[in-house]
Amino acid sequence: MTTSDKNDKNINDIILDATLNTLAKNKISGTRMHLIAAEAGTSQSNLHYHYPTKNDLLLAALDKIQKYFSQKRTASVDFDRKSSGQNLHALFEEKQDDILHHPDIDCIQFDYWVQGTVNPAIREKFRQSFDIWRADIQKVLAACQADGEELDMDAFAHLMVSILMGASMQYLIDDGSFSLDAYFALAERMVRGALGAAPKTEHS
């Protein structure tokens, strides 16, 4: 990698981080290129050099969010070193950590969902990111499924996304309305029951 390539990479990282920070503060509807440029500590002309339009930048920022979630899931789900039950638990643990420690990412994701209802390019990229998430979930569910159980794993993965995103939606708007620990413990018991998997123990 040349020095120029490294500099471009650093600039892109700075710009995308600034974009996410700006989206967290102003939402997509209130985000402007000059606000992102100011957050990134660069000129608006330089910002437009790397990303000619706001839509180009929004799509790149959505890619960065997807990369964050994929890397985090790769770190938490380990088919070689963890049991199937531990990997199932990791899916719930991962989402609870995001809600408690990285709420801006979930809020931005909801904002992209809204934007996707009127922006075809964002809708398609958002759909692709959820396809990746559901495929990862299906692998974990399939590993937990008891022999003889016949389940629609595609529908089950969609249900899991609803459970996980539903927790974010409700908790982030009213964090005192319910216990996340209780919510995810009950959700995990329900999923294990539907899969015919053994109840969770300390080591499963």
Side-chain angles (χ1 to χ4, degrees):
M1 182 180 290
T2 67
T3 301
S4 176
D5 289 336
K6 290 179 180 178
N7 288 338
D8 284 344
K9 181 180 186 301
N10 290 336
I11 290 169
N12 279 325
D13 286 341
I14 290 168
I15 289 173
L16 293 178
D17 286 343
T19 301
L20 294 177
N21 289 338
T22 306
L23 290 173
K25 295 174 188 175
N26 301 284
K27 307 306 177 193
I28 290 175
S29 60
T31 291
R32 302 289 183 268
M33 294 294 269
H34 74 271
L35 295 176
I36 296 172
E39 181 75 22
T42 189
S43 66
Q44 191 168 342
S45 61
N46 188 43
L47 184 63
H48 281 291
Y49 171 78
H50 291 277
Y51 298 97
T53 69
K54 177 182 172 182
N55 204 56
D56 293 329
L57 193 43
L58 288 175
L59 293 172
L62 188 52
D63 281 335
K64 186 175 179 70
I65 291 173
Q66 173 55 46
K67 183 178 179 180
Y68 161 81
F69 282 125
S70 292
Q71 288 177 338
K72 188 171 184 182
R73 199 165 305 122
T74 298
S76 62
V77 173
D78 188 335
F79 290 102
D80 294 327
R81 295 180 176 82
K82 291 183 178 180
S83 69
S84 58
Q86 287 173 327
N87 282 327
L88 177 63
H89 180 69
L91 293 178
F92 295 107
E93 194 172 48
E94 175 191 341
K95 176 48 69 179
Q96 184 166 353
D97 178 71
D98 281 332
I99 294 171
L100 292 175
H101 302 116
H102 310 283
D104 284 351
I105 294 292
D106 269 344
C107 289
I108 292 170
Q109 197 172 28
F110 285 125
D111 202 21
Y112 269 107
W113 183 91
V114 173
Q115 192 69 18
T117 63
V118 296
N119 184 317
I122 287 179
R123 179 188 180 96
E124 177 59 20
K125 191 167 284 290
F126 197 85
R127 185 194 65 76
Q128 291 172 3
S129 73
F130 266 50
D131 280 347
I132 293 170
W133 191 14
R134 286 189 292 261
D136 290 342
I137 288 172
Q138 282 196 53
K139 292 175 186 176
V140 174
L141 294 176
C144 291
Q145 187 178 13
D147 291 339
E149 289 289 327
E150 293 188 8
L151 297 168
D152 182 340
M153 282 300 178
D154 181 61
F156 209 147
H158 279 75
L159 177 61
M160 280 285 290
V161 169
S162 297
I163 291 171
L164 296 170
M165 292 303 290
S168 292
M169 181 179 290
Q170 296 176 85
Y171 194 85
L172 294 175
I173 203 68
D174 185 6
D175 59 6
S177 65
F178 67 102
S179 163
L180 276 180
D181 288 336
Y183 179 99
F184 283 117
L186 177 58
E188 187 171 346
R189 286 200 299 272
M190 290 170 61
V191 170
R192 284 174 177 267
L195 290 168
K200 182 179 183 300
T201 66
E202 184 179 351
H203 303 292
S204 67

